[in-house]
Amino acid sequence: MKRDWNLLHILLAHFETESIGEFIQDMDKTDRWTEGQYFSDYLKSDTDKRRGIVYGHLELLVDGGYVQGIELRLDDKGYSCGLFHPRLTNEGHDLLQAMRSDNLWGKVKKLASEKGVELSIQSLKYLIPFAYKQIFD
């Protein structure tokens, strides 16, 4: 699975609006995945692949400490998901705000490129504060 920053942004926004349960329930309806946007074209035709990618991205957010209250399991029947008052953590709110700011998100991506590092969940923890510092200096 390739990490899709647009999908991570969408998932964080659904946690923020407390609609992640509805998103997961309706993830097969591509017109409901974003606010006015469609998900990547290559995922529209394969429901199992689409579900696996969404759940994989949810795992990235859990593992990165950006969301809480969601439990994901993978077995021979596929993924299952339990929600227990799902919410963004403080870091999740910060990441979502950074992604919404064209100026800040642009600086984060530029810094990653200049420093020769992959834009990753871990690198964001260092790049976002550095990008803020550049904006305010």
Side-chain angles (χ1 to χ4, degrees):
M1 172 189 83
K2 288 182 84 173
R3 182 177 27 232
D4 183 325
W5 288 102
N6 183 50
L7 178 55
L8 290 170
H9 181 177
I10 293 162
L11 292 171
L12 289 168
H14 279 286
F15 273 92
E16 179 188 50
T17 60
E18 299 178 1
S19 61
I20 192 65
E22 292 86 354
F23 175 85
I24 291 169
Q25 185 176 6
D26 294 339
M27 79 171 77
D28 297 331
K29 299 175 184 175
T30 57
D31 62 333
R32 300 236 5 222
W33 283 31
T34 64
E35 300 164 353
Q37 291 181 304
Y38 286 103
F39 190 59
S40 305
D41 288 340
Y42 67 94
L43 295 178
K44 289 181 183 175
S45 62
D46 188 337
T47 301
D48 290 335
K49 183 176 181 180
R50 183 172 35 241
R51 286 180 170 277
I53 289 174
V54 169
Y55 285 127
H57 281 74
L58 285 167
E59 283 182 314
L60 292 174
L61 293 174
V62 170
D63 291 346
Y66 294 103
V67 298
Q68 291 180 340
I70 183 168
E71 183 178 321
L72 301 163
R73 292 191 180 160
L74 179 61
D75 59 26
D76 57 337
K77 295 178 185 173
Y79 276 96
S80 61
C81 176
L83 299 174
F84 310 95
H85 190 67
R87 67 177 193 86
L88 289 176
T89 63
N90 192 46
E91 291 84 4
H93 280 284
D94 290 347
L95 176 57
L96 181 57
Q97 287 308 111
M99 293 175 101
R100 284 181 172 154
S101 167
D102 291 336
N103 184 26
L104 180 60
W105 192 241
K107 285 198 181 300
V108 167
K109 291 191 291 189
K110 183 179 176 188
L111 280 168
S113 177
E114 287 173 355
K115 301 294 181 186
V117 297
E118 175 82 20
L119 191 59
S120 68
I121 297 288
Q122 190 62 30
S123 69
L124 287 176
K125 294 178 182 184
Y126 298 99
L127 291 170
I128 291 173
F130 194 67
Y132 271 119
K133 186 172 178 359
Q134 284 191 346
I135 289 172
F136 293 111
D137 281 350

